[in-house]
Amino acid sequence: MTNTAISVENLSKSYRLGQIGTGTFAHDLNVWWARIRGKPNPMLRIGEADHGNRDGEEIWALRDINFTVKQGEVLGIIGKNGAGKSTLLKILSRVTAPTSGKIKIKGRIASLLEVGTGFHPEMTGRENVYLNGAIMGMTRKEIDGNFDEIIDFSGVDQFIDTPVKRYSSGMYVRLAFAVAAHMNPEILVVDEVLAVGDAEFQQKCLGKMGEVAKEGRTVLFVSHNMGAIQSLCQNSLLIDEGLIVGTGKSEVIVTQYLGLISLESRTIFRTSNKDDHLWLEQIELKRNGVEPASIIQTGDHLTIHLVIKLSKPFTRLYVGVDLLDEWERLIFAFHSKEAGLIIYQEIYPELNVEIDIPQLFLLPGQFHFRVVVADRDGQLVEDVPRAVSFDIVPRDYSTHGYTFNNKHGQLFIPFRIKMTSGKNVWANEVEI
Amino acid sequence: MASTEQTKISLPADQYWDMIIEPQRRLFDLRLGELWKYRDLVMLFVRRDFVAVYKQTILGPIWYLIQPLLTTITFTVIFGNIAKLPTDGLPQFLFYMSGTVVWAYFADCLNKTSNTFVQNAGLFGKVYFPRLAVPVSILISNLIAFAIQFGFFILFVLYFAARGTALQPDWTWIAFSPVLLLMMAGLGLGLGIIVSSLTTKYRDLRFLVTFGVSLLMYATPVIYPVSSIPENFQWIILANPMTPIVEAFRYAFLGAGTVNPGHLLYSFSFMIVVVFLGSLIFNRVEQTFMDTV
């Protein structure tokens, strides 16, 4: 029988507008005095009254949330920015109290809301390990017991007696994560920590999370990285506008989530600055030639549509679309010049670009496109660093349910594999 | 979504859980037991305070001695030699130093604890630990500073005694001095956490405190003895709960001053009320202050 690790019952959280006060005591006194005399609030900005008095109006960040997490379950929590994920985690980690409802927890809970909490720059790595560990609820003894492992995992053993202000940001994060990863809590809450550190270290972190999960401990994982959610979590929870709108198998929930956001993130529109003669007006990704999408499976057919507007005629424009991963590493540059397109005719007033990729061999992860346009002298006339971003989700390659994911690199390369032993031959072809 | 009814039925009883997060805690539920579990953290905060303050200073911890010394010299010159204020017949240097050292403990406790929430907002916003760990660690690190400074003061007392100055330390009161220290710590902590809880809403209070504390020193017998105040005005000075404490300290170690158990009892009750009120406010603010900071 599996036990429940977390039970969230009718949980709500509201933030009150106007109740925070004006910030200074004198102003609050003024407001209070005016209210007693029945006069209007003197601190209200003129014109604000037109929008209605929002004093005391409540914003519900979470509305009557109910769910349970079993011991040993790795639960993904997904949702758009501002959906209430962070509020939920803050209540879970007791940073703030709920407005109503309760959460019952079995076992020690540790959160990685942000690693390195309480690190003091003047103190050495060793001192910070102890301080950070203690802040997260470990006793001196527990840290002593794990100290060597922590240092091993972080890979900063040479500098352990150097003040952390001399550390590179990578070392800093590694040490901080190492402490957090060795807390051995029964329940681990992870929020977006994967956005920091280099790729190798991120693999380590994901590995550690998987390990924690395998040991039968409970993990709540909040991320915008759908690939990571799918490869780590059996089940997920989708939150939107403070409500749980879906629970169940991660594949299903991820699809539901991507349906929610696809309307919002597939295109960007820009209007020109006055002195711009050229600007990217629209970018759109199409999966398998038809559906606008921000979720793409490894090996899918992807089409990129760009609409570039020009306010004066240009000749010899070069258009480049760079494919970058979430750590801003260039994976490939789709450039018109190298593709042999040099246009001598005048271009005006619009340029449509279509880049067609028959099979996109990217492994799961978050990626984005950067759009650059250069004129005949090679000067950049337009540069949109994150024109559009998308997630690659895994595809099943074998009948056993195994799949290649972001643990296997970034690029998928189709291959054949054959193993022989005596008369036995096993072979398979990994293709899409 | 799982139906609420079903989940409720299948859930074990309350004692199964290790922790229940609810909207409001009971009023005086300070959870001191939890604070005790985090005692290693308190000690690490104390250590951090020491390391952080004197890293990259040339004189380092010697500053703990320079501060009271310079203040005492200044007071001796200005209030003793220029203004010629009486000192209950004690050597001016010892009189001012005793006042300065004792006052500094209270003032530092109050000033530093009153910044608890605002200064630690970043930390408090990310991880939970008993918030009381911060003010308590401040009391302890100030206590260490006080011990150093007080030891320094005792050296001067011995020096003066060796040179033949007649001092009559009162051993009964010396034995009682830890209670005086506790009272000061309580006053500093109580007022400090009240202010720090209120500064989450009103930032003005921070300025008021820094500046109010330095003014309050003049309403405390640090630079003059209570005996020098005309009888009918003494009640004003005695209304300040710090007055009996400073006088009692001085009486204990130097043998001159106005000590009255009734006044001390007043200070003690004042301290209890302040600590009580402070805990009440702190406890309430602690749970939701992240929404307002």
Side-chain angles (χ1 to χ4, degrees):
Chain A
M1 179 198 150
T2 42
N3 293 314
T4 315
I6 302 173
S7 156
V8 175
E9 297 166 18
N10 307 322
L11 189 75
S12 296
K13 172 78 183 174
S14 72
Y15 292 95
R16 265 192 216 100
L17 290 177
Q19 291 289 309
I20 290 167
T22 48
T24 69
F25 189 55
H27 283 186
D28 265 13
L29 267 184
N30 234 329
V31 171
W32 172 78
W33 180 233
R35 198 178 294 154
I36 284 187
R37 289 177 302 163
K39 293 259 176 70
N41 183 347
M43 289 303 145
L44 215 59
R45 270 186 221 97
I46 297 178
E48 254 179 25
D50 300 343
H51 305 293
N53 186 358
R54 287 166 71 84
D55 251 24
E57 190 182 313
E58 289 177 327
I59 292 195
W60 290 89
L62 289 176
R63 287 182 278 187
D64 210 14
I65 298 268
N66 285 284
F67 67 90
T68 54
V69 186
K70 291 200 186 69
Q71 261 168 24
E73 186 176 350
V74 181
L75 181 74
I77 298 176
I78 52 187
K80 292 183 288 193
N81 287 330
K85 303 182 304 272
S86 304
T87 306
L88 177 61
L89 290 200
K90 275 189 176 164
I91 296 173
L92 262 173
S93 51
R94 294 197 287 166
V95 165
T96 186
T99 308
S100 66
K102 45 172 94 162
I103 302 181
K104 296 171 175 173
I105 294 168
K106 174 76 180 167
R108 182 158 78 171
I109 186 164
S111 73
L112 299 184
L113 283 186
E114 226 165 291
V115 293
T117 341
F119 263 40
H120 196 286
E122 295 286 357
M123 290 169 59
T124 67
R126 183 187 304 274
E127 290 169 325
N128 270 310
V129 166
Y130 279 96
L131 181 62
N132 190 228
I135 285 176
M136 297 204 282
M138 281 194 272
T139 61
R140 210 181 172 80
K141 253 194 213 148
E142 287 175 274
I143 305 168
D144 280 336
N146 282 319
F147 193 78
D148 294 334
E149 255 180 87
I150 293 174
I151 302 310
D152 257 13
F153 185 82
S154 68
V156 298
D157 45 338
Q158 277 171 281
F159 308 101
I160 197 63
D161 289 310
T162 311
V164 294
K165 65 176 175 182
R166 312 234 182 274
Y167 281 27
S168 73
S169 55
M171 283 160 65
Y172 189 95
V173 168
R174 282 207 293 276
L175 184 63
F177 187 86
V179 182
H182 288 84
M183 281 197 61
N184 302 330
E186 282 90 358
I187 302 165
L188 185 67
V189 177
V190 185
D191 185 9
E192 298 287 336
V193 277
L194 302 179
V196 290
D198 52 38
E200 185 202 350
F201 183 66
Q202 299 215 346
Q203 290 306 328
K204 236 173 159 180
C205 296
L206 284 173
K208 183 75 197 178
M209 263 184 63
E211 214 176 278
V212 166
K214 263 185 225 130
E215 284 166 14
R217 279 179 281 162
T218 315
V219 181
L220 296 188
F221 180 47
V222 175
S223 177
H224 289 287
N225 182 339
M226 292 303 128
I229 291 267
Q230 283 200 328
S231 60
L232 284 169
C233 313
Q234 311 96 312
N235 295 314
S236 287
L237 191 82
L238 176 59
I239 300 183
D240 196 38
E241 291 177 357
L243 293 166
I244 295 186
V245 294
T247 52
K249 290 253 168 271
S250 290
E251 299 93 75
V252 181
I253 301 302
V254 164
T255 318
Q256 191 185 348
Y257 167 70
L258 293 164
L260 263 181
I261 62 165
S262 69
L263 292 170
E264 288 156 30
S265 69
R266 73 173 191 269
T267 49
I268 64 138
F269 293 95
R270 291 213 332 164
T271 46
S272 78
N273 287 326
K274 282 223 172 65
D275 3 306
D276 274 358
H277 300 299
L278 181 159
W279 64 95
L280 174 71
E281 185 162 280
Q282 190 183 343
I283 179 167
E284 189 170 18
L285 301 184
K286 279 190 175 158
R287 178 187 176 191
N288 298 333
V290 275
E291 331 139 35
S294 62
I295 169 184
I296 292 143
Q297 254 186 340
T298 303
D300 271 353
H301 175 191
L302 183 71
T303 320
I304 312 162
H305 283 282
L306 306 182
V307 180
I308 294 163
K309 292 276 190 189
L310 309 101
S311 62
K312 65 165 201 193
F314 275 87
T315 53
R316 289 184 60 183
L317 278 179
Y318 301 115
V319 179
V321 177
D322 294 344
L323 171 62
L324 300 120
D325 69 9
E326 59 190 299
W327 308 290
E328 299 294 333
R329 287 182 309 192
L330 181 65
I331 292 166
F332 189 70
F334 301 92
H335 279 188
S336 64
K337 185 161 81 176
E338 284 74 10
L341 285 190
I342 299 166
I343 306 161
Y344 293 98
Q345 289 98 322
E346 274 191 356
I347 304 167
Y348 183 78
E350 193 179 278
L351 176 67
N352 288 290
V353 183
E354 186 185 299
I355 295 171
D356 195 64
I357 307 161
Q359 280 197 302
L360 186 62
F361 287 128
L362 282 178
L363 284 176
Q366 276 183 308
F367 301 89
H368 60 273
F369 284 117
R370 171 187 180 180
V371 175
V372 289
V373 182
D375 65 11
R376 54 194 306 159
D377 308 316
Q379 291 288 335
L380 280 190
V381 286
E382 173 66 311
D383 182 1
V384 188
R386 273 178 181 263
V388 66
S389 54
F390 61 98
D391 288 288
I392 296 278
V393 295
R395 176 188 286 267
D396 283 341
Y397 301 96
S398 74
T399 48
H400 306 293
Y402 293 110
T403 183
F404 290 99
N405 56 34
N406 50 355
K407 287 183 196 122
H408 305 97
Q410 284 179 306
L411 280 185
F412 174 78
I413 299 174
F415 64 103
R416 277 190 285 266
I417 181 165
K418 186 165 95 177
M419 297 197 271
T420 53
S421 169
K423 280 181 190 159
N424 292 324
V425 181
W426 304 271
N428 200 6
E429 191 170 347
V430 190
E431 266 184 317
I432 286 160
Chain B
M1 208 192 307
S3 110
T4 321
E5 292 314 309
Q6 276 177 357
T7 22
K8 265 187 184 157
I9 291 161
S10 64
L11 282 179
D14 273 4
Q15 56 267 26
Y16 165 82
W17 306 100
D18 291 326
M19 181 169 58
I20 297 181
I21 300 172
E22 280 173 306
Q24 288 296 337
R25 293 211 300 257
R26 272 164 291 131
L27 280 184
F28 290 100
D29 187 8
L30 274 184
R31 302 201 273 197
L32 292 175
E34 195 183 32
L35 185 63
W36 177 246
K37 270 193 213 153
Y38 275 81
R39 59 190 180 277
D40 286 334
L41 177 64
V42 174
M43 291 328 288
L44 281 161
F45 275 146
V46 171
R47 192 183 153 72
R48 180 192 66 175
D49 287 349
F50 273 88
V51 172
V53 172
Y54 293 109
K55 273 271 166 87
Q56 290 205 351
T57 59
I58 296 172
L59 297 176
I62 296 176
W63 280 109
Y64 282 119
L65 304 181
I66 296 177
Q67 277 164 351
L69 192 63
L70 284 183
T71 319
T72 306
I73 292 171
T74 315
F75 284 3
T76 310
V77 171
I78 295 176
F79 300 116
N81 292 343
I82 299 174
K84 297 200 166 37
L85 294 180
T87 58
D88 267 353
L90 293 170
Q92 285 174 350
F93 189 85
L94 289 184
F95 180 87
Y96 292 124
M97 193 167 184
S98 61
T100 313
V101 167
V102 170
W103 176 257
Y105 179 64
F106 167 75
D108 282 351
C109 283
L110 176 50
N111 272 330
K112 287 185 189 153
T113 47
S114 67
N115 276 328
T116 304
F117 280 117
V118 172
Q119 230 167 37
N120 292 287
L123 188 53
F124 286 2
K126 284 174 198 152
V127 60
Y128 175 83
F129 55 86
R131 305 314 191 201
L132 216 48
V134 174
V136 167
S137 74
I138 290 170
L139 288 192
I140 296 175
S141 56
N142 279 336
L143 193 65
I144 297 171
F146 174 78
I148 298 171
Q149 295 177 347
F150 200 75
F152 194 45
F153 164 71
I154 294 297
L155 284 183
F156 278 99
V157 172
L158 294 177
Y159 171 77
F160 272 85
R163 291 200 33 201
T165 314
L167 298 168
Q168 292 109 27
D170 185 319
W171 296 103
T172 331
W173 280 100
I174 288 180
F176 189 66
S177 60
V179 180
L180 297 177
L181 204 54
L182 184 79
M183 282 161 69
M184 280 203 294
L187 281 171
L189 176 75
L191 290 173
I193 60 181
I194 290 175
V195 173
S196 79
S197 305
L198 295 177
T199 40
T200 59
K201 276 184 96 175
Y202 308 113
R203 300 297 163 90
D204 330 30
L205 278 173
R206 244 185 325 170
F207 306 111
L208 189 70
V209 165
T210 347
F211 158 86
V213 166
S214 41
L215 283 188
L216 190 64
M217 191 190 78
Y218 295 97
T220 312
V222 171
I223 51 164
Y224 53 82
V226 169
S227 61
S228 69
I229 307 289
E231 289 273 337
N232 22 353
F233 292 111
Q234 276 189 6
W235 65 271
I236 301 178
I237 291 300
L238 287 168
N240 174 358
M242 277 300 290
T243 300
I245 300 177
V246 173
E247 284 281 316
F249 251 109
R250 205 172 264 149
Y251 182 77
F253 290 90
L254 301 175
T258 319
V259 188
N260 178 330
H263 297 160
L264 279 166
L265 196 65
Y266 159 75
S267 295
F268 193 80
S269 335
F270 195 97
M271 184 270 289
I272 295 290
V273 170
V274 161
V275 169
F276 186 74
L277 262 180
S279 331
L280 189 83
I281 301 176
F282 192 83
N283 196 20
R284 282 197 65 91
V285 168
E286 175 185 49
Q287 296 168 65
T288 52
F289 92 103
M290 275 324 298
D291 307 340
T292 49
V293 164

